[in-house]
Amino acid sequence: MQDFLVDLNMPKQTILKQLLIWRAKHISHRQFVYVLSIVVGFTSGLGALVLKNLTHFIQHLLEGNLIKYYHHAFYFLFPIIGFALAYLVIKYIIRNKVSHGIPSTLFAISKRKGIMKQYQMFGSILAAPLTVGFGGSVGLEGPTVATGAAISSNISRMFHMNQTTRNLLIGCAAAGAMSSIFKAPIAAIIFAIEVFSLDLTIASMLPLLLASLSAILTSYFFFGDDILLPFKIEDKFVIGDAPFYIILGIAAAITSLYFTQVYDKFHKFFDKIGSPIKRLIVGGILLGVLIYFIPPLYGEGFDVINNLIAGNPEKALENNFLQMDLNNIWIVIFLLAGLVFFKIIASALTFGAGGVGGIFAPTLFMGSIMGNCIAKIINNCGLFGSSISESNFTLVGMAGLMAGVLHAPLTAIFLIAEVTGGYELFIPLMLTATISFSLTKYFSPHSVYNMELGRKGELITHDKDHAVLTLMDIDKVIENNFITITPKMNLGQMVHEAVVKSNRNIFPVVNEKNNALMGIILLDDLRPVMFDQSLYNDIVATDVMQPAPEIIDLEKDKMTDIMQKFQDSSAWNLPVIKNGEYVGFISKSKLLTAYRRQLINFTK
């Protein structure tokens, strides 16, 4: 340790350099990753602490005093105020766009090599509590994951970690965040593997375990035994209930598809509204109206979930604007179904208005109510001789919707199993989650998290070949040392100005006015006539030009498309265009070399 002692007055860059030198001498790369995973888990736990406390402080201040003692109309005003405050913070303090938590993290992994900008470390911490605390109908899980991921990304950059390690530590941050929030360390690890497509190997398992453990210890230190879903299973699973859980799985799949479609349509609707102020006003007013008439949509909604699990749906519905009789079970079912229907609309309006949050909590909210509704219908329709456990269906319904909406069935199964403190529901959890995931995946191949990236083919998956292609940078394999030919060049000009000066055997024919690619000329096309000087003025480029076997369009083609074009055409070089203009060529040999290098880095 003696050579690590440094002067505290030394500049930060020098201290960091000394630390890096000491680390290189005394700690192996693997050991250092273990240390960083513990640090990342701790910081993710702290991020969850700050986000949760800030949000609950705002909610307690507003809901406890203003709404309770003054007027119900504040339910309408608060979301607009929250969006306005979040907008001002983003514009004047953060000064950068704060994207939705987990999708922005997936984008960083897929397209930015795991690099996240520094403002992302505090952007969600400032904007998400204002959104959720003032009634935005979204959750804190996504912002917590994004905060931890940004911190881990910047720590990785500070210590010069490679791309593979950066991605692993981002996964550790995700595991730490979920472990801290739900006190479910195993489900948190599975979440990181499923959602961020990490490889489950010995090299990745221990860092994920350390991060998850570090985060949950941090959570216990600050929060004690307090958990989001305090419940113990009392009604055990019996085989006779299996058909009902199959029905629940189908219902969860239908609800998941509804969730995804509504979210997508509202996302596209607000994208068409160019001005962020207009989006804020439109989304804020619509959400304010919804929450005014349906108060349970205010905020995350975990109070509603816990009331349902405890068998007190009337407490969650006591403020219904229709003043319906809650002693009638069918009215209760109707009102609960309304919450399922409107929750995703409220969440989509929150995002559309510029709010910052996550969809994990809305998924749990809708899943719990859906499960409770299905159980109530089965128990009260008079078609079945036996009754089923409404609390169990509430819990399994959450798992079913998580499996469908997030495409994370294993996370759903282990999360509910861990938060309930037992595995009595393991079979119904597996049954419902599997059916919901399978049906939803068939109709909607991408989850809400990766919908946009999936459509563009920019999503990292467990398919290593596809993942490596996604990580490759197209611009780095484009070659520009090809001499261009204009359509009116004669043979003599082509020989003296192109063939003689080039070491390539392909010549792109390019329009002089707009630089558009018109075709290509191969050296083999010129060889039969290039030595006959009597033809130098008679033959022009268009006489020997031929269409390219395939053309790569940088605006449209993904790396997987480029590979397919090489395979279909059997060409060794293909021309590249961008916005209709010629850019250069990509050679198969250079492409395969880049692929091999990326594959080595990916699997290192």
Side-chain angles (χ1 to χ4, degrees), residues 248-544:
L248 180 61
I250 296 171
I254 295 170
T255 309
S256 298
L257 291 171
Y258 166 72
F259 186 113
T260 304
Q261 290 299 315
V262 170
Y263 178 88
D264 189 38
K265 281 181 169 53
F266 272 86
H267 182 74
K268 291 176 180 175
F269 169 76
F270 279 99
D271 279 347
K272 293 176 183 176
I273 304 175
S275 169
I277 299 294
K278 289 181 180 177
R279 289 198 294 265
L280 190 155
I281 294 171
V282 171
I285 290 175
L286 291 175
L287 180 64
V289 170
L290 262 183
I291 293 178
Y292 177 80
F293 288 112
I294 313 174
L297 298 179
Y298 187 93
E300 293 180 281
F302 280 107
D303 289 342
V304 175
I305 297 173
N306 286 324
N307 283 327
L308 290 178
I309 295 173
N312 302 317
E314 298 81 9
K315 191 172 182 181
L317 300 170
E318 59 188 1
N319 292 324
N320 72 89
F321 74 98
L322 297 174
Q323 299 300 315
M324 290 184 170
D325 181 16
L326 297 181
N327 292 318
N328 187 323
I329 189 63
W330 293 105
I331 290 178
V332 172
I333 292 171
F334 171 76
L335 292 174
L336 289 175
L339 290 181
V340 176
F341 182 83
F342 285 109
K343 180 63 177 182
I344 181 53
I345 296 176
S347 298
L349 288 172
T350 302
F351 289 127
V356 177
I359 61 165
F360 205 98
T363 304
L364 294 177
F365 182 94
M366 289 177 64
S368 65
I369 297 174
M370 177 210 65
N372 195 270
C373 275
I374 297 294
K376 280 181 165 57
I377 291 170
I378 292 172
N379 286 339
N380 293 279
C381 67
L383 298 176
F384 307 101
S386 59
S387 62
I388 56 175
S389 170
E390 292 184 6
S391 61
N392 285 1
F393 261 63
T394 303
L395 291 166
V396 178
M398 285 192 279
L401 212 65
M402 268 194 288
V405 173
L406 310 183
H407 286 197
L410 290 176
T411 301
I413 293 166
F414 280 92
L415 178 64
I416 301 303
E418 280 194 279
V419 297
T420 55
Y423 293 89
E424 286 85 355
L425 289 180
F426 222 62
I427 294 174
L429 285 169
M430 293 174 67
L431 190 60
T432 302
T434 301
I435 292 171
S436 176
F437 172 69
S438 301
L439 292 175
T440 309
K441 183 80 172 174
Y442 179 79
F443 292 103
S444 179
H446 302 293
S447 73
V448 173
Y449 285 147
N450 52 39
M451 194 182 294
E452 288 298 315
L453 288 173
R455 284 200 194 108
K456 296 176 183 177
E458 297 175 347
L459 179 68
I460 299 295
T461 69
H462 285 286
D463 181 344
K464 277 194 176 65
D465 185 56
H466 184 274
V468 171
L469 289 174
T470 302
L471 291 169
M472 289 173 64
D473 189 346
I474 297 177
D475 293 332
K476 291 185 178 180
V477 294
I478 297 176
E479 299 178 71
N480 307 108
N481 61 340
F482 290 80
I483 297 177
T484 59
I485 290 174
T486 59
K488 295 181 180 179
M489 270 189 177
N490 60 35
L491 180 58
Q493 290 173 313
M494 288 189 282
V495 170
H496 292 104
E497 296 179 23
V499 176
V500 173
K501 296 179 180 179
S502 177
N503 60 355
R504 311 304 295 254
N505 60 358
I506 299 180
F507 304 93
V509 181
V510 178
N511 190 301
E512 295 175 274
K513 295 180 180 179
N514 56 14
N515 202 38
L517 180 72
M518 301 183 65
I520 61 171
I521 296 176
L522 302 178
L523 186 59
D524 289 343
D525 298 329
L526 296 176
R527 190 173 285 112
V529 295
M530 63 185 290
F531 298 107
D532 188 350
Q533 296 185 9
S534 65
L535 299 175
Y536 274 20
N537 294 320
D538 298 332
I539 297 175
V540 294
T542 52
D543 295 332
V544 290

Side-chain angles (χ1 to χ4, degrees), residues 60-138:
H60 176 74
L61 189 67
L62 301 179
E63 215 172 348
N65 296 322
L66 292 177
I67 292 178
K68 185 175 181 181
Y69 296 111
Y70 287 89
H71 201 276
H72 185 71
F74 281 107
Y75 273 123
F76 172 76
L77 295 175
F78 282 153
I80 302 175
I81 296 172
F83 295 148
L85 291 174
Y87 171 77
L88 294 174
V89 166
I90 291 171
K91 185 173 182 179
Y92 295 106
I93 298 178
I94 303 171
R95 297 182 181 179
N96 282 282
K97 181 182 178 183
V98 180
S99 302
H100 303 324
I102 293 175
S104 66
T105 307
L106 289 170
F107 177 81
I109 292 174
S110 295
K111 302 308 294 179
R112 292 184 54 83
K113 300 180 179 180
I115 295 173
M116 301 181 74
K117 295 181 179 178
Q118 292 184 354
Y119 76 85
Q120 292 175 286
M121 293 190 289
F122 58 86
S124 294
I125 289 179
L126 296 178
L130 291 172
T131 300
V132 181
F134 277 85
S137 198
V138 289

Side-chain angles (χ1 to χ4, degrees), residues 41-53 125 143-144 147-148 151 180 218:
F42 175 71
T43 55
S44 295
L46 287 182
L49 168 73
V50 173
L51 273 165
K52 183 177 180 180
N53 282 348
I125 289 179
T144 306
T147 299
I151 293 172
S180 175
T218 304

